[in-house]
Amino acid sequence: MNIRKERYLAVLLFALLVLSGCAARREMVPDNLPPSAPEAPYTAAPDAAPVEPAPTVRSADSGNYEEVLINADNWRQFFEIVELPMTVKNSFGEIDEIKQYYCVVLRDEYAQRMRYHAGWSVKFTFTFPIDIETLDFKPDAFQYFHTDDHLFATEATRDAVFDWNALGKDAWGQERDVYLLTHSADFQNAFFQGTASYAYDVWQGFYINIDQIRLESVSGSVQFNQW
């Protein structure tokens, strides 16, 4: 068995142990543009937008906002799935880990109109394969690329809840602890967290191909200001 296979077997064993623990709990702490776009950052290919029926709009009580019921036919019109990497630093200010949050977020054209501090929410259930992969990551410049070096780990089904307090696209590349000090976001709209760290002389971590994510169910509504 060569060195690469030995490395992958060790990482795979560790990954399965971590995944078995992650499935038993949800992190309730805590829209794909980096704050200052790094050189050719990873961005997921946008989902092919099918022809959508007209959204179902329910009359609003006060007439100054609209409430849209989200279902399996129209959810892609309003939402997209993005990967939001955030950094975790040690006491020396060095990046120890990357937290790769896979989130469902509002598309840009609707995000500006989202109605805050309201009781609406949308619940999604997704099924997806999880891989272990090698990252091309340069911490000093936060240049972050996925490679083709993948190893299948497992398949999972997880929930995501999007509401006014959802983790936003502005989290891309931010230091996690600093972001949480200045935002009221939580991680409910992140249906999976893939931690990447430095091991075996390379950065390795969990990875989801966004094109392979399958919607199992969706229900709920979102409220938009009229302006």
Side-chain angles (χ1 to χ4, degrees), residues 143-174:
Q143 294 180 350
Y144 178 84
F145 307 92
H146 288 290
T147 71
D148 294 327
D149 193 10
H150 297 281
L151 180 68
F152 174 77
T154 189
E155 186 171 84
T157 299
R158 303 284 172 81
D159 294 335
V161 177
F162 183 90
D163 59 20
W164 66 270
N165 198 39
L167 185 66
K169 287 183 180 179
D170 58 341
W172 200 103
Q174 298 293 312

PDB file of all heavy atoms in Angstrom, residues 143-174:
ATOM      1  N   GLN A 143      -6.282  32.186  -0.393  1.00  0.00           N
ATOM      2  CA  GLN A 143      -6.596  31.651  -1.714  1.00  0.00           C
ATOM      3  C   GLN A 143      -7.048  30.211  -1.511  1.00  0.00           C
ATOM      4  O   GLN A 143      -6.324  29.382  -0.965  1.00  0.00           O
ATOM      5  CB  GLN A 143      -5.378  31.732  -2.630  1.00  0.00           C
ATOM      6  CG  GLN A 143      -4.973  33.149  -2.958  1.00  0.00           C
ATOM      7  CD  GLN A 143      -3.773  33.209  -3.870  1.00  0.00           C
ATOM      8  OE1 GLN A 143      -3.120  32.198  -4.109  1.00  0.00           O
ATOM      9  NE2 GLN A 143      -3.477  34.393  -4.371  1.00  0.00           N
ATOM     10  N   TYR A 144      -8.232  29.929  -1.965  1.00  0.00           N
ATOM     11  CA  TYR A 144      -8.947  28.718  -1.562  1.00  0.00           C
ATOM     12  C   TYR A 144      -9.499  28.023  -2.787  1.00  0.00           C
ATOM     13  O   TYR A 144     -10.356  28.567  -3.474  1.00  0.00           O
ATOM     14  CB  TYR A 144     -10.072  29.147  -0.613  1.00  0.00           C
ATOM     15  CG  TYR A 144     -10.966  28.062  -0.111  1.00  0.00           C
ATOM     16  CD1 TYR A 144     -10.622  27.297   0.988  1.00  0.00           C
ATOM     17  CD2 TYR A 144     -12.191  27.825  -0.727  1.00  0.00           C
ATOM     18  CE1 TYR A 144     -11.462  26.323   1.474  1.00  0.00           C
ATOM     19  CE2 TYR A 144     -13.038  26.852  -0.258  1.00  0.00           C
ATOM     20  CZ  TYR A 144     -12.676  26.105   0.849  1.00  0.00           C
ATOM     21  OH  TYR A 144     -13.509  25.139   1.313  1.00  0.00           O
ATOM     22  N   PHE A 145      -8.959  26.847  -3.101  1.00  0.00           N
ATOM     23  CA  PHE A 145      -9.373  26.110  -4.303  1.00  0.00           C
ATOM     24  C   PHE A 145      -9.648  24.658  -3.941  1.00  0.00           C
ATOM     25  O   PHE A 145      -8.939  24.059  -3.131  1.00  0.00           O
ATOM     26  CB  PHE A 145      -8.287  26.137  -5.378  1.00  0.00           C
ATOM     27  CG  PHE A 145      -7.795  27.514  -5.724  1.00  0.00           C
ATOM     28  CD1 PHE A 145      -6.701  28.061  -5.078  1.00  0.00           C
ATOM     29  CD2 PHE A 145      -8.433  28.260  -6.704  1.00  0.00           C
ATOM     30  CE1 PHE A 145      -6.244  29.327  -5.395  1.00  0.00           C
ATOM     31  CE2 PHE A 145      -7.985  29.531  -7.029  1.00  0.00           C
ATOM     32  CZ  PHE A 145      -6.885  30.063  -6.370  1.00  0.00           C
ATOM     33  N   HIS A 146     -10.653  24.086  -4.597  1.00  0.00           N
ATOM     34  CA  HIS A 146     -10.880  22.654  -4.494  1.00  0.00           C
ATOM     35  C   HIS A 146     -10.043  21.938  -5.557  1.00  0.00           C
ATOM     36  O   HIS A 146      -9.773  22.480  -6.624  1.00  0.00           O
ATOM     37  CB  HIS A 146     -12.357  22.327  -4.695  1.00  0.00           C
ATOM     38  CG  HIS A 146     -13.220  22.733  -3.546  1.00  0.00           C
ATOM     39  ND1 HIS A 146     -13.175  22.097  -2.329  1.00  0.00           N
ATOM     40  CD2 HIS A 146     -14.130  23.728  -3.417  1.00  0.00           C
ATOM     41  CE1 HIS A 146     -14.026  22.662  -1.502  1.00  0.00           C
ATOM     42  NE2 HIS A 146     -14.621  23.669  -2.141  1.00  0.00           N
ATOM     43  N   THR A 147      -9.637  20.731  -5.271  1.00  0.00           N
ATOM     44  CA  THR A 147      -8.872  19.931  -6.214  1.00  0.00           C
ATOM     45  C   THR A 147      -9.744  18.773  -6.706  1.00  0.00           C
ATOM     46  O   THR A 147     -10.894  18.612  -6.286  1.00  0.00           O
ATOM     47  CB  THR A 147      -7.607  19.357  -5.555  1.00  0.00           C
ATOM     48  OG1 THR A 147      -7.977  18.331  -4.614  1.00  0.00           O
ATOM     49  CG2 THR A 147      -6.827  20.456  -4.824  1.00  0.00           C
ATOM     50  N   ASP A 148      -9.165  17.938  -7.578  1.00  0.00           N
ATOM     51  CA  ASP A 148      -9.866  16.748  -8.058  1.00  0.00           C
ATOM     52  C   ASP A 148      -9.484  15.499  -7.262  1.00  0.00           C
ATOM     53  O   ASP A 148      -9.791  14.381  -7.655  1.00  0.00           O
ATOM     54  CB  ASP A 148      -9.547  16.513  -9.542  1.00  0.00           C
ATOM     55  CG  ASP A 148     -10.113  17.613 -10.418  1.00  0.00           C
ATOM     56  OD1 ASP A 148     -11.187  18.149 -10.071  1.00  0.00           O
ATOM     57  OD2 ASP A 148      -9.479  17.956 -11.438  1.00  0.00           O
ATOM     58  N   ASP A 149      -8.810  15.708  -6.143  1.00  0.00           N
ATOM     59  CA  ASP A 149      -8.324  14.608  -5.314  1.00  0.00           C
ATOM     60  C   ASP A 149      -9.397  14.262  -4.277  1.00  0.00           C
ATOM     61  O   ASP A 149      -9.414  14.802  -3.169  1.00  0.00           O
ATOM     62  CB  ASP A 149      -7.017  15.034  -4.633  1.00  0.00           C
ATOM     63  CG  ASP A 149      -6.292  13.867  -4.004  1.00  0.00           C
ATOM     64  OD1 ASP A 149      -6.698  12.712  -4.256  1.00  0.00           O
ATOM     65  OD2 ASP A 149      -5.336  14.110  -3.256  1.00  0.00           O
ATOM     66  N   HIS A 150     -10.327  13.378  -4.639  1.00  0.00           N
ATOM     67  CA  HIS A 150     -11.478  13.077  -3.797  1.00  0.00           C
ATOM     68  C   HIS A 150     -11.488  11.616  -3.347  1.00  0.00           C
ATOM     69  O   HIS A 150     -10.994  10.725  -4.042  1.00  0.00           O
ATOM     70  CB  HIS A 150     -12.789  13.341  -4.549  1.00  0.00           C
ATOM     71  CG  HIS A 150     -12.998  14.762  -4.936  1.00  0.00           C
ATOM     72  ND1 HIS A 150     -13.444  15.719  -4.057  1.00  0.00           N
ATOM     73  CD2 HIS A 150     -12.822  15.397  -6.110  1.00  0.00           C
ATOM     74  CE1 HIS A 150     -13.538  16.879  -4.678  1.00  0.00           C
ATOM     75  NE2 HIS A 150     -13.157  16.711  -5.927  1.00  0.00           N
ATOM     76  N   LEU A 151     -12.099  11.390  -2.215  1.00  0.00           N
ATOM     77  CA  LEU A 151     -12.346  10.044  -1.719  1.00  0.00           C
ATOM     78  C   LEU A 151     -13.725  10.032  -1.074  1.00  0.00           C
ATOM     79  O   LEU A 151     -13.977  10.790  -0.128  1.00  0.00           O
ATOM     80  CB  LEU A 151     -11.288   9.631  -0.689  1.00  0.00           C
ATOM     81  CG  LEU A 151     -11.442   8.231  -0.086  1.00  0.00           C
ATOM     82  CD1 LEU A 151     -11.175   7.169  -1.144  1.00  0.00           C
ATOM     83  CD2 LEU A 151     -10.495   8.051   1.091  1.00  0.00           C
ATOM     84  N   PHE A 152     -14.646   9.210  -1.585  1.00  0.00           N
ATOM     85  CA  PHE A 152     -16.006   9.165  -1.044  1.00  0.00           C
ATOM     86  C   PHE A 152     -15.990   8.680   0.402  1.00  0.00           C
ATOM     87  O   PHE A 152     -15.306   7.719   0.754  1.00  0.00           O
ATOM     88  CB  PHE A 152     -16.881   8.244  -1.894  1.00  0.00           C
ATOM     89  CG  PHE A 152     -18.267   8.033  -1.333  1.00  0.00           C
ATOM     90  CD1 PHE A 152     -19.239   9.020  -1.466  1.00  0.00           C
ATOM     91  CD2 PHE A 152     -18.587   6.866  -0.674  1.00  0.00           C
ATOM     92  CE1 PHE A 152     -20.507   8.837  -0.947  1.00  0.00           C
ATOM     93  CE2 PHE A 152     -19.854   6.671  -0.151  1.00  0.00           C
ATOM     94  CZ  PHE A 152     -20.829   7.653  -0.294  1.00  0.00           C
ATOM     95  N   ALA A 153     -16.760   9.361   1.228  1.00  0.00           N
ATOM     96  CA  ALA A 153     -16.840   8.970   2.631  1.00  0.00           C
ATOM     97  C   ALA A 153     -18.198   8.357   2.973  1.00  0.00           C
ATOM     98  O   ALA A 153     -18.278   7.223   3.442  1.00  0.00           O
ATOM     99  CB  ALA A 153     -16.572  10.179   3.529  1.00  0.00           C
ATOM    100  N   THR A 154     -19.278   9.102   2.739  1.00  0.00           N
ATOM    101  CA  THR A 154     -20.600   8.598   3.097  1.00  0.00           C
ATOM    102  C   THR A 154     -21.661   9.474   2.454  1.00  0.00           C
ATOM    103  O   THR A 154     -21.345  10.487   1.830  1.00  0.00           O
ATOM    104  CB  THR A 154     -20.796   8.590   4.627  1.00  0.00           C
ATOM    105  OG1 THR A 154     -22.006   7.896   4.955  1.00  0.00           O
ATOM    106  CG2 THR A 154     -20.851  10.004   5.181  1.00  0.00           C
ATOM    107  N   GLU A 155     -22.916   9.093   2.575  1.00  0.00           N
ATOM    108  CA  GLU A 155     -24.038   9.913   2.139  1.00  0.00           C
ATOM    109  C   GLU A 155     -24.839  10.306   3.366  1.00  0.00           C
ATOM    110  O   GLU A 155     -24.945   9.532   4.331  1.00  0.00           O
ATOM    111  CB  GLU A 155     -24.926   9.153   1.148  1.00  0.00           C
ATOM    112  CG  GLU A 155     -26.032  10.016   0.538  1.00  0.00           C
ATOM    113  CD  GLU A 155     -26.758   9.333  -0.601  1.00  0.00           C
ATOM    114  OE1 GLU A 155     -27.698   8.554  -0.301  1.00  0.00           O
ATOM    115  OE2 GLU A 155     -26.394   9.571  -1.773  1.00  0.00           O
ATOM    116  N   ALA A 156     -25.391  11.498   3.345  1.00  0.00           N
ATOM    117  CA  ALA A 156     -26.110  12.003   4.508  1.00  0.00           C
ATOM    118  C   ALA A 156     -27.371  12.730   4.084  1.00  0.00           C
ATOM    119  O   ALA A 156     -27.487  13.211   2.963  1.00  0.00           O
ATOM    120  CB  ALA A 156     -25.214  12.937   5.325  1.00  0.00           C
ATOM    121  N   THR A 157     -28.319  12.814   4.988  1.00  0.00           N
ATOM    122  CA  THR A 157     -29.530  13.602   4.822  1.00  0.00           C
ATOM    123  C   THR A 157     -29.643  14.536   6.016  1.00  0.00           C
ATOM    124  O   THR A 157     -29.623  14.083   7.163  1.00  0.00           O
ATOM    125  CB  THR A 157     -30.782  12.701   4.736  1.00  0.00           C
ATOM    126  OG1 THR A 157     -30.662  11.839   3.594  1.00  0.00           O
ATOM    127  CG2 THR A 157     -32.058  13.538   4.603  1.00  0.00           C
ATOM    128  N   ARG A 158     -29.723  15.836   5.733  1.00  0.00           N
ATOM    129  CA  ARG A 158     -29.736  16.829   6.816  1.00  0.00           C
ATOM    130  C   ARG A 158     -30.772  17.915   6.531  1.00  0.00           C
ATOM    131  O   ARG A 158     -31.139  18.167   5.388  1.00  0.00           O
ATOM    132  CB  ARG A 158     -28.365  17.487   6.976  1.00  0.00           C
ATOM    133  CG  ARG A 158     -27.230  16.504   7.236  1.00  0.00           C
ATOM    134  CD  ARG A 158     -27.219  15.987   8.659  1.00  0.00           C
ATOM    135  NE  ARG A 158     -26.259  14.913   8.822  1.00  0.00           N
ATOM    136  CZ  ARG A 158     -24.962  15.075   8.996  1.00  0.00           C
ATOM    137  NH1 ARG A 158     -24.448  16.282   9.002  1.00  0.00           N
ATOM    138  NH2 ARG A 158     -24.162  14.039   9.167  1.00  0.00           N
ATOM    139  N   ASP A 159     -31.187  18.594   7.597  1.00  0.00           N
ATOM    140  CA  ASP A 159     -32.133  19.698   7.503  1.00  0.00           C
ATOM    141  C   ASP A 159     -31.423  21.040   7.525  1.00  0.00           C
ATOM    142  O   ASP A 159     -30.319  21.179   8.064  1.00  0.00           O
ATOM    143  CB  ASP A 159     -33.110  19.667   8.684  1.00  0.00           C
ATOM    144  CG  ASP A 159     -34.020  18.445   8.665  1.00  0.00           C
ATOM    145  OD1 ASP A 159     -34.246  17.893   7.568  1.00  0.00           O
ATOM    146  OD2 ASP A 159     -34.494  18.040   9.755  1.00  0.00           O
ATOM    147  N   ALA A 160     -32.081  22.049   6.936  1.00  0.00           N
ATOM    148  CA  ALA A 160     -31.628  23.433   7.016  1.00  0.00           C
ATOM    149  C   ALA A 160     -32.850  24.314   7.186  1.00  0.00           C
ATOM    150  O   ALA A 160     -33.867  24.107   6.528  1.00  0.00           O
ATOM    151  CB  ALA A 160     -30.856  23.829   5.758  1.00  0.00           C
ATOM    152  N   VAL A 161     -32.759  25.283   8.083  1.00  0.00           N
ATOM    153  CA  VAL A 161     -33.866  26.208   8.323  1.00  0.00           C
ATOM    154  C   VAL A 161     -33.393  27.614   7.993  1.00  0.00           C
ATOM    155  O   VAL A 161     -32.463  28.132   8.613  1.00  0.00           O
ATOM    156  CB  VAL A 161     -34.360  26.143   9.783  1.00  0.00           C
ATOM    157  CG1 VAL A 161     -35.461  27.177  10.011  1.00  0.00           C
ATOM    158  CG2 VAL A 161     -34.863  24.746  10.109  1.00  0.00           C
ATOM    159  N   PHE A 162     -34.045  28.239   6.995  1.00  0.00           N
ATOM    160  CA  PHE A 162     -33.688  29.600   6.611  1.00  0.00           C
ATOM    161  C   PHE A 162     -34.715  30.560   7.197  1.00  0.00           C
ATOM    162  O   PHE A 162     -35.922  30.403   7.011  1.00  0.00           O
ATOM    163  CB  PHE A 162     -33.653  29.750   5.087  1.00  0.00           C
ATOM    164  CG  PHE A 162     -33.211  31.115   4.648  1.00  0.00           C
ATOM    165  CD1 PHE A 162     -31.868  31.378   4.424  1.00  0.00           C
ATOM    166  CD2 PHE A 162     -34.124  32.146   4.490  1.00  0.00           C
ATOM    167  CE1 PHE A 162     -31.447  32.642   4.039  1.00  0.00           C
ATOM    168  CE2 PHE A 162     -33.722  33.412   4.105  1.00  0.00           C
ATOM    169  CZ  PHE A 162     -32.371  33.668   3.888  1.00  0.00           C
ATOM    170  N   ASP A 163     -34.208  31.567   7.939  1.00  0.00           N
ATOM    171  CA  ASP A 163     -35.060  32.632   8.440  1.00  0.00           C
ATOM    172  C   ASP A 163     -34.283  33.943   8.407  1.00  0.00           C
ATOM    173  O   ASP A 163     -33.198  34.020   7.832  1.00  0.00           O
ATOM    174  CB  ASP A 163     -35.593  32.313   9.841  1.00  0.00           C
ATOM    175  CG  ASP A 163     -34.491  32.086  10.867  1.00  0.00           C
ATOM    176  OD1 ASP A 163     -33.338  32.521  10.629  1.00  0.00           O
ATOM    177  OD2 ASP A 163     -34.771  31.484  11.926  1.00  0.00           O
ATOM    178  N   TRP A 164     -34.819  34.988   8.998  1.00  0.00           N
ATOM    179  CA  TRP A 164     -34.188  36.319   8.931  1.00  0.00           C
ATOM    180  C   TRP A 164     -32.827  36.347   9.609  1.00  0.00           C
ATOM    181  O   TRP A 164     -32.021  37.239   9.379  1.00  0.00           O
ATOM    182  CB  TRP A 164     -35.113  37.368   9.547  1.00  0.00           C
ATOM    183  CG  TRP A 164     -35.337  37.186  11.024  1.00  0.00           C
ATOM    184  CD1 TRP A 164     -36.318  36.447  11.622  1.00  0.00           C
ATOM    185  CD2 TRP A 164     -34.564  37.758  12.075  1.00  0.00           C
ATOM    186  NE1 TRP A 164     -36.203  36.508  12.991  1.00  0.00           N
ATOM    187  CE2 TRP A 164     -35.124  37.320  13.295  1.00  0.00           C
ATOM    188  CE3 TRP A 164     -33.447  38.598  12.103  1.00  0.00           C
ATOM    189  CZ2 TRP A 164     -34.611  37.687  14.536  1.00  0.00           C
ATOM    190  CZ3 TRP A 164     -32.936  38.964  13.349  1.00  0.00           C
ATOM    191  CH2 TRP A 164     -33.521  38.511  14.541  1.00  0.00           C
ATOM    192  N   ASN A 165     -32.538  35.363  10.445  1.00  0.00           N
ATOM    193  CA  ASN A 165     -31.289  35.345  11.193  1.00  0.00           C
ATOM    194  C   ASN A 165     -30.247  34.420  10.567  1.00  0.00           C
ATOM    195  O   ASN A 165     -29.280  34.036  11.209  1.00  0.00           O
ATOM    196  CB  ASN A 165     -31.570  34.892  12.633  1.00  0.00           C
ATOM    197  CG  ASN A 165     -30.453  35.257  13.583  1.00  0.00           C
ATOM    198  OD1 ASN A 165     -29.857  36.315  13.497  1.00  0.00           O
ATOM    199  ND2 ASN A 165     -30.163  34.356  14.506  1.00  0.00           N
ATOM    200  N   ALA A 166     -30.430  34.053   9.289  1.00  0.00           N
ATOM    201  CA  ALA A 166     -29.576  33.046   8.656  1.00  0.00           C
ATOM    202  C   ALA A 166     -28.152  33.548   8.422  1.00  0.00           C
ATOM    203  O   ALA A 166     -27.911  34.745   8.264  1.00  0.00           O
ATOM    204  CB  ALA A 166     -30.185  32.616   7.324  1.00  0.00           C
ATOM    205  N   LEU A 167     -27.209  32.619   8.401  1.00  0.00           N
ATOM    206  CA  LEU A 167     -25.824  32.914   8.046  1.00  0.00           C
ATOM    207  C   LEU A 167     -25.784  33.439   6.619  1.00  0.00           C
ATOM    208  O   LEU A 167     -26.353  32.836   5.714  1.00  0.00           O
ATOM    209  CB  LEU A 167     -24.989  31.635   8.159  1.00  0.00           C
ATOM    210  CG  LEU A 167     -23.481  31.755   7.944  1.00  0.00           C
ATOM    211  CD1 LEU A 167     -22.839  32.577   9.052  1.00  0.00           C
ATOM    212  CD2 LEU A 167     -22.857  30.367   7.885  1.00  0.00           C
ATOM    213  N   GLY A 168     -25.109  34.589   6.411  1.00  0.00           N
ATOM    214  CA  GLY A 168     -25.147  35.251   5.123  1.00  0.00           C
ATOM    215  C   GLY A 168     -23.905  35.052   4.294  1.00  0.00           C
ATOM    216  O   GLY A 168     -22.874  34.570   4.777  1.00  0.00           O
ATOM    217  N   LYS A 169     -23.976  35.462   3.018  1.00  0.00           N
ATOM    218  CA  LYS A 169     -22.836  35.337   2.108  1.00  0.00           C
ATOM    219  C   LYS A 169     -21.634  36.156   2.568  1.00  0.00           C
ATOM    220  O   LYS A 169     -20.495  35.858   2.203  1.00  0.00           O
ATOM    221  CB  LYS A 169     -23.235  35.779   0.703  1.00  0.00           C
ATOM    222  CG  LYS A 169     -24.145  34.804  -0.029  1.00  0.00           C
ATOM    223  CD  LYS A 169     -24.413  35.311  -1.431  1.00  0.00           C
ATOM    224  CE  LYS A 169     -25.305  34.382  -2.217  1.00  0.00           C
ATOM    225  NZ  LYS A 169     -25.573  34.901  -3.570  1.00  0.00           N
ATOM    226  N   ASP A 170     -21.867  37.192   3.355  1.00  0.00           N
ATOM    227  CA  ASP A 170     -20.748  38.009   3.815  1.00  0.00           C
ATOM    228  C   ASP A 170     -19.852  37.275   4.794  1.00  0.00           C
ATOM    229  O   ASP A 170     -18.798  37.774   5.189  1.00  0.00           O
ATOM    230  CB  ASP A 170     -21.246  39.315   4.443  1.00  0.00           C
ATOM    231  CG  ASP A 170     -22.196  39.092   5.618  1.00  0.00           C
ATOM    232  OD1 ASP A 170     -22.760  37.984   5.741  1.00  0.00           O
ATOM    233  OD2 ASP A 170     -22.391  40.039   6.408  1.00  0.00           O
ATOM    234  N   ALA A 171     -20.231  36.056   5.181  1.00  0.00           N
ATOM    235  CA  ALA A 171     -19.370  35.248   6.045  1.00  0.00           C
ATOM    236  C   ALA A 171     -18.191  34.643   5.295  1.00  0.00           C
ATOM    237  O   ALA A 171     -17.247  34.159   5.926  1.00  0.00           O
ATOM    238  CB  ALA A 171     -20.185  34.116   6.680  1.00  0.00           C
ATOM    239  N   TRP A 172     -18.214  34.682   3.961  1.00  0.00           N
ATOM    240  CA  TRP A 172     -17.181  34.029   3.145  1.00  0.00           C
ATOM    241  C   TRP A 172     -15.796  34.530   3.521  1.00  0.00           C
ATOM    242  O   TRP A 172     -15.487  35.719   3.422  1.00  0.00           O
ATOM    243  CB  TRP A 172     -17.447  34.315   1.667  1.00  0.00           C
ATOM    244  CG  TRP A 172     -16.782  33.372   0.697  1.00  0.00           C
ATOM    245  CD1 TRP A 172     -17.401  32.363   0.020  1.00  0.00           C
ATOM    246  CD2 TRP A 172     -15.423  33.365   0.276  1.00  0.00           C
ATOM    247  NE1 TRP A 172     -16.499  31.710  -0.799  1.00  0.00           N
ATOM    248  CE2 TRP A 172     -15.263  32.314  -0.651  1.00  0.00           C
ATOM    249  CE3 TRP A 172     -14.305  34.129   0.605  1.00  0.00           C
ATOM    250  CZ2 TRP A 172     -14.062  32.012  -1.254  1.00  0.00           C
ATOM    251  CZ3 TRP A 172     -13.103  33.827   0.007  1.00  0.00           C
ATOM    252  CH2 TRP A 172     -12.983  32.789  -0.921  1.00  0.00           C
ATOM    253  N   GLY A 173     -14.943  33.626   4.004  1.00  0.00           N
ATOM    254  CA  GLY A 173     -13.557  33.957   4.297  1.00  0.00           C
ATOM    255  C   GLY A 173     -13.329  34.700   5.595  1.00  0.00           C
ATOM    256  O   GLY A 173     -12.182  34.977   5.958  1.00  0.00           O
ATOM    257  N   GLN A 174     -14.370  35.011   6.332  1.00  0.00           N
ATOM    258  CA  GLN A 174     -14.204  35.754   7.573  1.00  0.00           C
ATOM    259  C   GLN A 174     -13.668  34.856   8.684  1.00  0.00           C
ATOM    260  O   GLN A 174     -13.819  33.631   8.662  1.00  0.00           O
ATOM    261  CB  GLN A 174     -15.547  36.350   8.010  1.00  0.00           C
ATOM    262  CG  GLN A 174     -16.139  37.346   7.031  1.00  0.00           C
ATOM    263  CD  GLN A 174     -15.317  38.608   6.943  1.00  0.00           C
ATOM    264  OE1 GLN A 174     -14.943  39.202   7.946  1.00  0.00           O
ATOM    265  NE2 GLN A 174     -15.033  39.038   5.730  1.00  0.00           N
TER     266      GLN A 174
END
